[in-house]
Amino acid sequence: MQFRIAAEITDVYRCDCSLCRMKGALMTTVHEDAFTLLSGADSLSEYNWNTGIARHCFCSKCGIYPFHRKRAMPDHYGVNVQCLTGFDASALAVRQAEGRGMSVRAKAARDLWTGPREA
């Protein structure tokens, strides 16, 4: 799989939600217009949960997590900068992103009001 981002990376962060904390990715955020998937779309698998808005992608062949569609900004990607060839994040301060406290959608919640219930 290959992708390209056309953006200056000035901010890197680690998220403290359960998924991000365990995968240990170092992230940056780019607008969808600055992200291009060049090859390997057929090798991508997706992990979704809760609201289903965030789309966490990983390679189905090697298991590496390269990027995800963001829940809080669905027109942006969170990109694992450790997957970028030639990028050295060591000069940037790593920000802690707060994901653990994001709202969780109740399992019984419905997307649409279905009208009055029958008695």
Side-chain angles (χ1 to χ4, degrees), residues 15-17 50 71-73 98-105:
C15 176
D16 67 357
C17 80
N50 199 338
R71 173 182 171 185
M73 297 184 297
E98 199 271 318
R100 182 176 30 192
M102 287 185 81
S103 63
V104 176
R105 182 175 160 189

Side-chain angles (χ1 to χ4, degrees), residues 3-116:
F3 63 92
R4 176 179 49 226
I5 61 170
E8 182 180 357
I9 300 171
T10 58
D11 179 53
V12 293
Y13 61 91
R14 293 195 189 277
C15 176
D16 67 357
C17 80
S18 60
L19 177 67
C20 290
R21 187 174 36 83
M22 287 188 256
K23 68 185 172 196
L26 183 60
M27 308 299 298
T28 195
T29 299
V30 298
H31 190 272
E32 64 187 2
D33 292 341
F35 179 92
T36 305
L37 182 60
L38 300 170
S39 66
D42 57 330
S43 296
L44 284 179
S45 290
E46 233 178 71
Y47 178 69
N48 299 3
W49 76 99
N50 199 338
T51 64
I53 296 170
R55 297 173 41 216
H56 290 258
C57 298
F58 61 94
C59 178
S60 62
K61 296 186 186 314
C62 70
I64 291 175
Y65 159 71
F67 57 85
H68 71 279
R69 279 282 194 169
K70 298 183 70 65
R71 173 182 171 185
M73 297 184 297
D75 60 345
H76 283 71
Y77 284 93
V79 176
N80 183 356
V81 298
Q82 297 175 125
C83 292
L84 300 175
T85 303
F87 179 75
D88 180 11
S90 65
L92 297 174
V94 177
R95 178 173 58 86
Q96 237 0 85
E98 199 271 318
R100 182 176 30 192
M102 287 185 81
S103 63
V104 176
R105 182 175 160 189
K107 290 183 182 192
R110 291 181 273 177
D111 289 331
L112 300 171
W113 181 63
T114 58

